[in-house]
Amino acid sequence: MLSLYNSLSREKQEFVPIEPGRVRMYVCGMTIYDLCHIGHARMMLAFDMIVRWLRASGFEVTYVRNITDIDDKIIRRAGENGESIRQLTDRQIGYMHEDLGLLGGLKPDYEPRATEYVPQMITLIEQLMANGLAYVADNGDVCYAVRRFANYGKLSGKSLDDLRAGERVDVQAGKHDPLDFVLWKSAKPEEPEAAKWPSPWGVGRPGWHIECSAMSADLLGNHFDIHGGGQDLQFPHHENEIAQSEGAHGGIFVNYWLHNGFVRVDDEKMSKSLGNFFTIRDVVAKYDPEVVRFFILRAHYRSPLNYSDAHLEDAKAALTRLYTALKGHEDVAPKVDWQDDYGSRFRAAMDDDFGTPEAMAVLFDLAAEINRGKDAKLVAQLKGLAGILGLLQRAPTVFLQGARAEGLSAQAIEGMIAERGAAKKARDFATADRIRDELKAGGVILEDGPAGTSWRRE
């Protein structure tokens, strides 16, 4: 039985799809004006993992992840670059696909661009106006009247009285209430023609929140199973989506809301102003992309993820241990056995709100057992279970040669030597030999002597 943490109910719930055997899932994607950063990677890989597990569990999944390709930042950046909006967004979308491909991410079934769904957004706004939930402000914008929607705040847990103007709320002249948000922005004279569409309220462009309500309804229907995104989107973006979609159509919009945790850098919030901002390209230039994927997925998707070189070095050493266990077994095909202890433990972990830390522990237990006996069935199991997470997809020699070329850090080497020493003391010589082999695969030679173990690089 799959259970997941529903941000709406604030508790774990058994997952029951609307249509048996089928899951419809929408995830908020990127606003495309710059290269994707490690926070974007965390979001994309979290939901990539969720889709993979749903499919491995037998569900037919329709996965939609949108692209916001019209926005104030996009307009500004295109102007700074002296290029068209389309030139900027096409290029950045190409970069995003390249980055996600490097990290082993699956392509969504649908990847709608906001600019392709403006007519649907206009229709949705018209419905909100007909339902008395939207109005034309003095400046020509169309705004949503938040206080007219009875359940506003149910996702974030925020009450209207607690919300104050200026706290993540855009205070704008012409609004009836500071909490009201924009559905349609009237065009400004200096904006390029590519950022303007005709509407019943004059030339302009859609607001950010209305985009996802319109695209998800068009591709998945007015009521679907799962809506996901980063924790930062819970309020106001996802709260506003609920207000729009339920205000327009009535009934429930989404059954389960999933949010992945923030990325921090050396225990500080990642931001350009602090100078600790890393693009995906920055990271994969230094670390193997599968190491980055492993690093992200071994943390629970809802927990904070602390990015640091030390943690990535540790992930590299850990992934090397898994590949070392597979060395010499390139001809063994992956095959999952859900009935044995490893398969049942892996399933139990993943069924408990996608518990990748516990699932990863199963992989390491398998690797340890393989190192003791090199059982082909266990090798097939390790490859099969890891493959569900998009890991261990290469020949071991290919990865291990790459790890050797990159070189393990001194900190990682000393940690592995200490682990080997503890294994020898416990008379677990199979583990001690395995660690020696892993280090050798990484180009590190150990020399045991009276004063302890020293090491050198080949």
Side-chain angles (χ1 to χ4, degrees), residues 63-83:
Y63 176 29
V64 180
R65 189 185 66 230
N66 77 294
I67 294 172
T68 296
D69 61 344
I70 186 64
D71 173 87
D72 288 342
K73 292 177 180 178
I74 292 172
I75 295 170
R76 189 181 312 117
R77 180 62 57 84
E80 292 169 354
N81 293 350
E83 61 184 334

Side-chain angles (χ1 to χ4, degrees), residues 118 122 125-126 129 136 139-142 184-188 195-206:
V118 175
I122 291 172
I125 295 170
E126 288 177 321
M129 294 194 76
V136 180
N139 63 356
D141 291 351
V142 180
W184 186 263
K185 293 187 175 186
S186 60
K188 298 179 177 63
K196 299 175 182 178
W197 285 264
S199 81
W201 318 285
V203 175
R205 58 187 169 87

Side-chain angles (χ1 to χ4, degrees), residues 138-149:
D138 295 342
N139 63 356
D141 291 351
V142 180
C143 296
Y144 189 101
V146 166
R147 292 186 185 274
R148 297 180 197 170
F149 181 69

Side-chain angles (χ1 to χ4, degrees), residues 193-237:
E193 290 304 310
K196 299 175 182 178
W197 285 264
S199 81
W201 318 285
V203 175
R205 58 187 169 87
W208 176 37
H209 309 300
I210 199 69
E211 296 175 7
C212 290
S213 285
M215 289 186 282
S216 63
D218 189 83
L219 293 168
L220 298 175
N222 296 337
H223 178 207
F224 55 93
D225 300 289
I226 297 174
H227 194 314
Q231 188 178 338
D232 57 317
L233 299 183
Q234 188 168 344
F235 183 85
H237 184 54

Side-chain angles (χ1 to χ4, degrees), residues 271-284:
S271 71
K272 289 183 178 178
S273 62
L274 292 174
N276 62 357
F277 180 90
F278 299 98
T279 68
I280 295 172
R281 297 189 168 210
D282 292 333
V283 181
V284 298

Side-chain angles (χ1 to χ4, degrees), residues 313-325:
E313 290 289 351
D314 181 66
K316 177 180 172 182
L319 189 58
T320 298
R321 292 200 292 274
L322 293 179
Y323 266 113
T324 300

Side-chain angles (χ1 to χ4, degrees), residues 322-390:
L322 293 179
Y323 266 113
T324 300
L326 298 178
K327 192 174 180 181
H329 291 273
E330 286 81 355
D331 58 335
V332 177
K335 184 179 180 180
V336 174
D337 179 359
W338 294 116
Q339 303 307 312
D340 79 359
D341 178 64
Y342 299 105
S344 61
R345 284 169 54 207
F346 187 95
R347 181 185 288 280
M350 293 299 290
D351 276 348
D352 185 7
D353 194 32
F354 313 105
T356 54
E358 294 79 9
M360 293 277 196
V362 174
L363 302 186
F364 284 97
D365 287 347
L366 265 167
E369 189 64 27
I370 290 167
N371 285 328
R372 282 190 281 269
K374 296 291 184 183
D375 187 305
K377 182 181 178 182
L378 296 180
V379 171
Q381 181 79 311
L382 175 56
K383 287 184 178 181
L385 293 176
I388 292 170
L389 299 177

Side-chain angles (χ1 to χ4, degrees), residues 107-352:
K107 290 183 178 179
D109 298 296
Y110 298 94
E111 195 174 50
R113 295 171 64 137
T115 54
E116 298 169 349
Y117 285 78
V118 175
Q120 291 91 329
M121 297 174 203
I122 291 172
T123 299
L124 186 56
I125 295 170
E126 288 177 321
Q127 185 62 53
L128 289 169
M129 294 194 76
N131 292 354
L133 292 169
Y135 61 90
V136 180
D138 295 342
N139 63 356
D141 291 351
V142 180
C143 296
Y144 189 101
V146 166
R147 292 186 185 274
R148 297 180 197 170
F149 181 69
N151 294 318
Y152 193 83
K154 67 179 181 178
L155 177 64
S156 61
K158 298 176 182 290
S159 70
L160 290 174
D161 292 335
D162 290 338
L163 292 168
R164 294 181 178 181
E167 294 180 354
R168 303 180 71 180
V169 177
D170 182 22
V171 180
Q172 181 178 311
K175 287 183 178 181
H176 294 177
D177 188 294
L179 298 178
D180 294 348
F181 59 89
V182 176
L183 299 169
W184 186 263
K185 293 187 175 186
S186 60
K188 298 179 177 63
E190 68 275 12
E191 292 178 337
E193 290 304 310
K196 299 175 182 178
W197 285 264
S199 81
W201 318 285
V203 175
R205 58 187 169 87
W208 176 37
H209 309 300
I210 199 69
E211 296 175 7
C212 290
S213 285
M215 289 186 282
S216 63
D218 189 83
L219 293 168
L220 298 175
N222 296 337
H223 178 207
F224 55 93
D225 300 289
I226 297 174
H227 194 314
Q231 188 178 338
D232 57 317
L233 299 183
Q234 188 168 344
F235 183 85
H237 184 54
H238 290 164
E239 193 74 73
N240 291 348
E241 279 190 66
I242 292 173
Q244 293 164 162
S245 296
E246 296 188 359
H249 306 302
I252 296 172
F253 173 38
V254 171
N255 284 0
Y256 303 90
W257 288 85
L258 307 183
H259 294 96
N260 65 271
F262 291 120
V263 173
R264 298 175 67 81
V265 178
D266 292 325
D267 291 318
E268 288 189 300
K269 183 179 179 181
M270 184 176 69
S271 71
K272 289 183 178 178
S273 62
L274 292 174
N276 62 357
F277 180 90
F278 299 98
T279 68
I280 295 172
R281 297 189 168 210
D282 292 333
V283 181
V284 298
K286 190 173 181 181
Y287 295 98
D288 185 288
E290 189 175 356
V291 170
V292 180
R293 182 182 182 90
F294 178 89
F295 161 70
I296 290 174
L297 291 184
R298 74 171 173 177
H300 192 273
Y301 80 97
R302 285 193 291 112
S303 67
L305 179 67
N306 190 38
Y307 175 93
S308 71
D309 283 351
H311 287 149
L312 277 161
E313 290 289 351
D314 181 66
K316 177 180 172 182
L319 189 58
T320 298
R321 292 200 292 274
L322 293 179
Y323 266 113
T324 300
L326 298 178
K327 192 174 180 181
H329 291 273
E330 286 81 355
D331 58 335
V332 177
K335 184 179 180 180
V336 174
D337 179 359
W338 294 116
Q339 303 307 312
D340 79 359
D341 178 64
Y342 299 105
S344 61
R345 284 169 54 207
F346 187 95
R347 181 185 288 280
M350 293 299 290
D351 276 348
D352 185 7

